Amino acid sequence: LCKIEAVIKPFKLEEVKEALTEIGIAGLTVAEVKGFGRQKGHTEIYRGSEYTVDFLPKVKIEVVLEEELVPKATEAIIKAARTGKIGDGKIFVIPVTEAIRIRTGERNEHAI
Amino acid sequence: LCKIEAVIKPFKLEEVKEALTEIGIAGLTVAEVKGFGRQKGHTEIYRGSEYTVDFLPKVKIEVVLEEELVPKATEAIIKAARTGKIGDGKIFVIPVTEAIRIRTGERNEHAI
Amino acid sequence: LCKIEAVIKPFKLEEVKEALTEIGIAGLTVAEVKGFGRQKGHTEIYRGSEYTVDFLPKVKIEVVLEEELVPKATEAIIKAARTGKIGDGKIFVIPVTEAIRIRTGERNEHAI
Amino acid sequence: REGRRARALGAYLGFAVGDALGATVEFLSAEEIAESYGVHRRMIGGGWLGLKPGQVTDDTEMCLAVGRAILALGRFDPCSMAEELVRWYRGRPVDVGATCLQGIRRYLTDGSLDALPSRWHGGNGACLRNLPVILATLGDEEAFGRWTIGQCHFTHNHRFSDAGTLALGEMVRSLVGGEGISGARAAADRLIARHPVFAFDPHPASSSGYVVDTIQTVFFTFFGSDSFASCLIATVNRGGDADSTGALAGMLAGATYTAEGIPRGWLRKLSAKVVNEIESQVDGLLALADTRKR
Ligand SMILES: Nc1ncnc2c1ncn2[C@@H]1O[C@H](COP(=O)(O)OP(=O)(O)O)[C@@H](O)[C@H]1O
Ligand SMILES: Nc1ncnc2c1ncn2[C@@H]1O[C@H](COP(=O)(O)OP(=O)(O)O)[C@@H](O)[C@H]1O
Ligand SMILES: Nc1ncnc2c1ncn2[C@@H]1O[C@H](COP(=O)(O)OP(=O)(O)O)[C@@H](O)[C@H]1O
Ligand SMILES: [Mg+2]
Ligand SMILES: [Mg+2]
């Protein structure tokens, strides 16, 4: 088993979810995060003076899946999340030694 | 060392924390996340029409612990977090190569 | 490749970011989390009675980087995040089997 | 011929009625149902899936997908069924069972048509979609056995799922053939003799989606009732996997008391689209059964 962590632009969440559903992946966990990278934050006016917010809101998708599905899943995420502009985000693949479905006790590939 | 990531129903946080404390685990990091899976989101009325919010609020617990404690810890989480209804959540176990307590520089099993 | 997850006191975020930038790490993903540990939450008054909020707000920094940089990076984080008081936080190092830059498809060390 | 159609149509419509009626209380316990509904006996939708009154779930929709695949080729072909289930899945159905989804995902990943045996495949998902196979093979017992196992193993490879599905099929074959409840009882007894775990007296321990619990529940209520309505009401009010137990009970009761025995009020609540497709599939599958007669 592996975990894919994808940090993407927030407006891309729906599109990425759709692309994963198409290949049979319908379960995932999502968090709102802040991204720092080459893409620059925006300028805001606060109490009269301008300042740069140096982070950008991102969405982090976590999906645990079988190793065989990783190439297809990353391809689907890239295709859906890419705009070609800086800040499109990253995909990280992390090993998962065990997965459990709390409701039933099912393990590993039967847990997801 | 391993990291347990447990995605659970938010109202179960207290119960799961208790259960982990009972077996000697008192340190953990918690995040509010959104869950997508088989459990249906709720229906909302917006400008007169009904639509389904397709995610559910979940809580993600992260606890780094020694490998020997993983079976006991997962058992405790399952027992506390299970309602038997869809959406109870998942437990994922991930390898941790190193842990450090920032305050003291202690490493690995002495860091947690 | 490795992922460093550092759970730190929120006011230390800027300092830690600076310290990482100094050693050439400019990309990271940050999340607001709640920490439970030895450091006690604070007391609040709500409807006349006092109660303890038993968690503390923390910030979780995630940075994926090459294995060779991990010692330098952890040292930089410790130096910047440490106050010497309980609750300074933890650093966890996790293996990453693959990284991809969504915008370009670059892999691994070229993705970050 | 007339009688056979009335019983086959009763089985398929009864299945859809049980699905829609039970779906309101799926995953509730008998106590919770009593508390919220008293006796649940009306097509009101709702439930954990937020259904419209009379709306069916994956149980009926999987049957329709399997039936479509069989009718398109005039025989069972696992690849054709896989494609039909994928098409159904991609239409964003209201629910997909966990193990069924794993099978569909496996097929999408590597094209394989057979699940490996697993202790975790004891759910009722494969058992539930077998009715079209039963109807298409009324004249060919060997094909019935082979097609049943072929379709089951697309997602569920477990000896209790296999045995239970075959037994329910034998029961429907015997009921549609006009042999009455005693013929069905003989088939149930044969299953219990081979796998005592399916014994249902004094009463089922549970009505969960575990194929053993599901079938125990359906045997208990079917053999313990004497009308379509009383069978279904008894079944769904036990809660648990109520849309699935309801569907299977509706299948057996419908085959026994025929389409005429299904309360009009319940039948009217099914969507015209579902009813029309069921009727057309029944005729197509029976015609296929006749061409296959040995
Ligand atoms: N080394 C890293 N570790 C973890 N997350 C990173 C890292 N580098 C960048 N990110 C995340 O990826 C996002 C996009 O990075 P950025 O450098 O702006 O653009 P791009 O990936 O298109 O080159 C950042 O906002 C941050 O959330
Ligand atoms: N493959 C997955 N990877 C990561 N998180 C998942 C995955 N599948 C489900 N989840 C998380 O688990 C939660 C519960 O999943 P769900 O399918 O609704 O119910 P159950 O786990 O009871 O079968 C989801 O809301 C989501 O947060
Ligand atoms: N075992 C653990 N796994 C994951 N996070 C932990 C663990 N123990 C502590 N933490 C995180 O580290 C923070 C600091 O821990 P604490 O015990 O209060 O202080 P210190 O690390 O200075 O001894 C906690 O608030 C929590 O966010
Ligand atoms: Mg259903
Ligand atoms: Mg069901």
Side-chain angles (χ1 to χ4, degrees):
Chain A
L1 286 184
C2 296
K3 171 153 69 119
I4 286 177
E5 295 192 355
V7 180
I8 62 170
K9 286 169 171 160
F11 76 92
K12 282 291 188 174
L13 176 59
E14 223 29 57
E15 213 165 324
V16 170
K17 268 179 47 329
E18 286 290 302
L20 289 172
T21 306
E22 279 291 295
I23 61 171
I25 293 170
L28 35 121
T29 299
V30 170
E32 291 170 10
V33 295
K34 296 189 172 101
F36 298 84
R38 288 190 212 172
Q39 186 188 10
K40 291 307 152 217
H42 59 278
T43 321
E44 290 199 352
I45 310 280
Y46 183 66
R47 300 189 178 178
S49 38
E50 211 178 63
Y51 72 103
T52 313
V53 171
D54 66 345
F55 68 82
L56 282 134
K58 300 288 176 191
V59 149
K60 178 175 146 197
I61 294 173
E62 300 186 82
V63 48
V64 172
L65 74 179
E66 300 192 47
E67 199 170 348
E68 305 81 55
L69 250 172
V70 169
K72 275 195 151 193
T74 56
E75 184 187 351
I77 295 168
I78 291 168
K79 212 150 165 285
R82 178 180 287 170
T83 68
K85 303 222 172 58
I86 289 196
D88 277 350
K90 317 284 182 193
I91 295 172
F92 304 123
V93 183
I94 288 164
V96 172
T97 45
E98 195 182 0
I100 306 173
R101 188 192 308 271
I102 289 174
R103 171 169 54 97
T104 60
E106 285 162 290
R107 304 267 152 161
N108 301 331
E109 64 274 22
H110 305 288
I112 50 187
Chain B
L1 286 186
C2 294
K3 171 154 68 118
I4 287 176
E5 294 192 356
V7 180
I8 62 171
K9 286 168 171 161
F11 77 93
K12 282 291 188 174
L13 176 59
E14 226 28 58
E15 212 165 325
V16 170
K17 269 179 51 320
E18 289 288 329
L20 288 172
T21 307
E22 300 253 312
I23 61 168
I25 293 170
L28 35 121
T29 299
V30 170
E32 291 170 12
V33 295
K34 296 187 171 106
F36 297 85
R38 197 171 160 204
Q39 187 186 9
K40 298 305 159 220
H42 60 278
T43 321
E44 291 200 349
I45 310 278
Y46 183 66
R47 302 189 179 179
S49 39
E50 213 176 62
Y51 73 100
T52 313
V53 169
D54 66 345
F55 68 83
L56 282 133
K58 299 290 176 190
V59 148
K60 179 174 146 196
I61 294 173
E62 300 187 82
V63 47
V64 173
L65 74 178
E66 295 170 66
E67 198 170 347
E68 307 78 55
L69 256 175
V70 169
K72 268 197 150 198
T74 57
E75 185 186 349
I77 295 169
I78 291 168
K79 213 151 165 284
R82 177 181 286 170
T83 68
K85 301 237 164 47
I86 291 199
D88 277 351
K90 315 285 181 192
I91 295 172
F92 304 122
V93 183
I94 288 163
V96 172
T97 45
E98 192 178 1
I100 305 172
R101 188 192 308 275
I102 290 174
R103 169 167 55 95
T104 59
E106 286 164 289
R107 306 264 152 162
N108 300 331
E109 55 288 343
H110 305 291
I112 51 186
Chain C
L1 287 185
C2 294
K3 171 155 67 119
I4 286 176
E5 294 191 356
V7 181
I8 62 171
K9 285 168 171 159
F11 76 91
K12 282 292 187 172
L13 175 60
E14 225 29 59
E15 214 165 323
V16 170
K17 268 182 47 325
E18 287 291 304
L20 288 173
T21 307
E22 300 255 311
I23 61 168
I25 293 170
L28 36 122
T29 298
V30 170
E32 292 170 12
V33 295
K34 295 188 173 103
F36 297 84
R38 287 189 212 175
Q39 186 189 9
K40 288 308 152 215
H42 59 277
T43 321
E44 291 200 349
I45 310 280
Y46 182 66
R47 300 190 179 176
S49 38
E50 210 178 63
Y51 71 102
T52 313
V53 170
D54 66 348
F55 67 82
L56 282 133
K58 299 288 176 191
V59 149
K60 179 175 146 194
I61 294 173
E62 300 187 82
V63 48
V64 172
L65 73 179
E66 293 170 67
E67 199 170 345
E68 306 80 53
L69 258 175
V70 169
K72 269 199 150 197
T74 55
E75 186 185 347
I77 295 169
I78 290 168
K79 212 147 168 289
R82 178 179 287 169
T83 66
K85 304 221 173 59
I86 288 195
D88 277 350
K90 315 284 182 193
I91 296 172
F92 303 121
V93 183
I94 287 163
V96 172
T97 45
E98 191 180 2
I100 306 173
R101 189 193 307 273
I102 289 174
R103 172 168 52 96
T104 60
E106 287 164 289
R107 306 263 152 162
N108 301 330
E109 55 290 340
H110 306 290
I112 49 188
Chain D
R1 181 103 323 174
E2 286 296 310
R4 184 186 69 163
R5 185 185 188 271
R7 288 186 288 270
L9 188 60
Y12 214 143
L13 286 174
F15 185 98
V17 164
D19 183 1
L21 187 69
T24 301
V25 294
E26 186 181 21
F27 298 131
L28 297 182
S29 68
E31 294 72 38
E32 287 170 321
I33 296 171
E35 217 170 292
S36 307
Y37 301 97
V39 174
H40 171 55
R41 57 196 312 149
R42 297 193 304 118
M43 286 282 198
I44 54 176
W48 78 284
L49 292 172
L51 301 164
K52 301 196 224 47
Q55 185 177 351
V56 295
T57 75
D58 52 323
D59 308 70
T60 303
E61 291 179 346
M62 278 201 292
C63 275
L64 291 171
V66 173
R68 243 171 259 141
I70 292 174
L71 289 169
L73 291 180
R75 62 187 160 77
F76 171 73
D77 169 62
C79 196
S80 161
M81 180 193 76
E83 284 298 313
E84 204 58 48
L85 285 172
V86 166
R87 197 163 310 142
W88 163 71
Y89 164 74
R90 284 190 167 144
R92 306 279 184 275
V94 71
D95 189 24
V96 182
T99 305
C100 289
L101 175 57
Q102 285 162 19
I104 290 169
R105 184 163 66 226
R106 184 206 70 243
Y107 169 73
L108 284 172
T109 306
D110 64 18
S112 67
L113 298 165
D114 272 293
L116 294 170
S118 167
R119 57 182 279 234
W120 298 112
H121 286 174
N124 57 24
C127 173
L128 278 159
R129 57 175 188 256
N130 205 46
L131 181 54
V133 167
I134 302 170
L135 297 180
T137 58
L138 288 177
D140 185 344
E141 194 172 346
E142 185 277 334
F144 161 69
R146 188 164 34 87
W147 293 12
T148 294
I149 297 301
Q151 79 79 355
C152 281
H153 285 190
F154 179 60
T155 56
H156 291 66
N157 191 335
H158 187 290
R159 77 183 193 286
F160 291 159
S161 164
D162 289 352
T165 306
L166 287 168
L168 281 176
E170 286 173 38
M171 290 169 70
V172 173
R173 288 167 71 81
S174 136
L175 290 167
V176 168
E179 291 168 39
I181 295 186
S182 59
R185 186 71 199 233
D189 288 341
R190 280 195 298 277
L191 174 69
I192 293 166
R194 191 174 313 117
H195 299 285
V197 71
F198 284 100
F200 58 94
D201 61 17
H203 60 79
S206 141
S207 301
S208 80
Y210 174 40
V211 73
V212 172
D213 293 339
T214 291
I215 289 181
Q216 279 186 19
T217 297
V218 169
F219 284 177
F220 181 75
T221 57
F222 173 65
F223 292 123
S225 60
D226 59 5
S227 71
F228 184 92
S230 62
C231 175
L232 247 61
I233 291 169
T235 306
V236 302
N237 280 277
R238 300 186 74 84
D241 196 358
D243 63 329
S244 306
T245 52
L248 293 175
M251 177 179 76
L252 295 178
T256 306
Y257 307 110
T258 83
E260 294 303 308
I262 301 175
R264 297 294 106 186
W266 287 350
L267 214 38
R268 262 203 306 274
K269 283 291 202 275
L270 295 178
S271 84
K273 191 161 177 295
V274 166
V275 172
N276 290 338
E277 186 165 13
I278 285 176
E279 289 207 24
S280 126
Q281 283 202 8
V282 166
D283 289 327
L285 295 167
L286 290 179
L288 188 53
D290 290 338
T291 70
R292 299 190 56 88
K293 240 186 191 29
R294 293 288 163 86

